[in-house]
């Protein structure tokens, strides 16, 4: 959801990669539904494993409860966003996580890639993002 928000709100001002230290086989259906409510389609996304190369290429690494399983390289900026894990949760439980992630992403964008105002939350994308 964070990568989708970042892509949606920052557009081409940032390059976004999404990966996890222990990704599931598919995207959580409740997360897909929650993001669809915000006009963002993540249904075609495929979870990917986080690699050292991906971290090496990043300027900022945002983790969410990754702990010591994520690669840590010197000279990288790390942010750990403590959020409820939406895995296995229904739509009602995922909505507040979605909204908290959006707020964190908006703050990050203001810090690393300020620009035009974010699109209205009802704006729909033509291409999937994550």
């Amino acid at each position: 959801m964070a990568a989708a928000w970042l892509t949606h709100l920052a557009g081409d001002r940032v390059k976004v990669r999404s990966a996890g230290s222990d990704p599931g086989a598919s995207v959580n259906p409740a997360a897909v539904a929650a993001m669809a409510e915000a006009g963002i389609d993540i249904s075609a996304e495929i979870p990917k494993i986080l690699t050292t190369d991906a971290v090496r290429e990043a300027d900022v690494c945002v983790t969410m409860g990754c702990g010591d399983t994520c690669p840590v390289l010197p000279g990288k900026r790390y942010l750990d966003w403590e959020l409820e894990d939406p895995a296995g949760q229904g739509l009602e439980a995922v909505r507040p996580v979605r909204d908290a992630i959006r707020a964190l992403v908006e703050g990050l964008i203001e810090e690393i890639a300020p620009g035009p105002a974010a699109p209205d939350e009802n704006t729909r994308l033509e291409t999937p993002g994550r």
Side-chain angles (χ1 to χ4, degrees):
M1 288 189 288
W5 277 126
L6 189 53
T7 299
H8 180 70
L9 298 172
D12 62 0
R13 291 180 286 155
V14 295
K15 182 176 179 182
V16 180
R17 290 198 177 117
S18 178
S21 57
D22 186 23
S26 61
V27 178
N28 178 348
V32 171
M35 293 303 287
E37 288 179 346
I40 302 171
D41 181 6
I42 63 172
S43 63
E45 295 299 320
I46 300 169
K48 299 165 220 46
I49 189 76
L50 179 64
T51 66
T52 302
D53 287 340
V55 173
R56 188 174 289 115
E57 293 178 24
D59 295 318
V60 178
C61 300
V62 176
T63 60
M64 297 178 207
C66 191
D68 60 1
T69 61
C70 290
V72 176
L73 301 175
K76 299 297 174 182
R77 179 172 175 210
Y78 292 87
L79 301 172
D80 187 32
W81 293 346
E82 292 188 30
L83 299 157
E84 291 294 320
D85 185 355
Q89 301 294 319
L91 185 56
E92 290 297 320
V94 174
R95 282 183 183 125
V97 177
R98 173 202 61 201
D99 297 342
I101 291 171
R102 180 183 178 143
L104 289 164
V105 165
E106 288 173 335
L108 179 61
I109 292 168
E110 281 303 310
E111 197 178 315
I112 66 169
D120 180 273
E121 69 181 37
N122 294 317
T123 301
R124 301 238 177 234
L125 291 179
E126 294 301 316
T127 57
R130 192 168 113 99

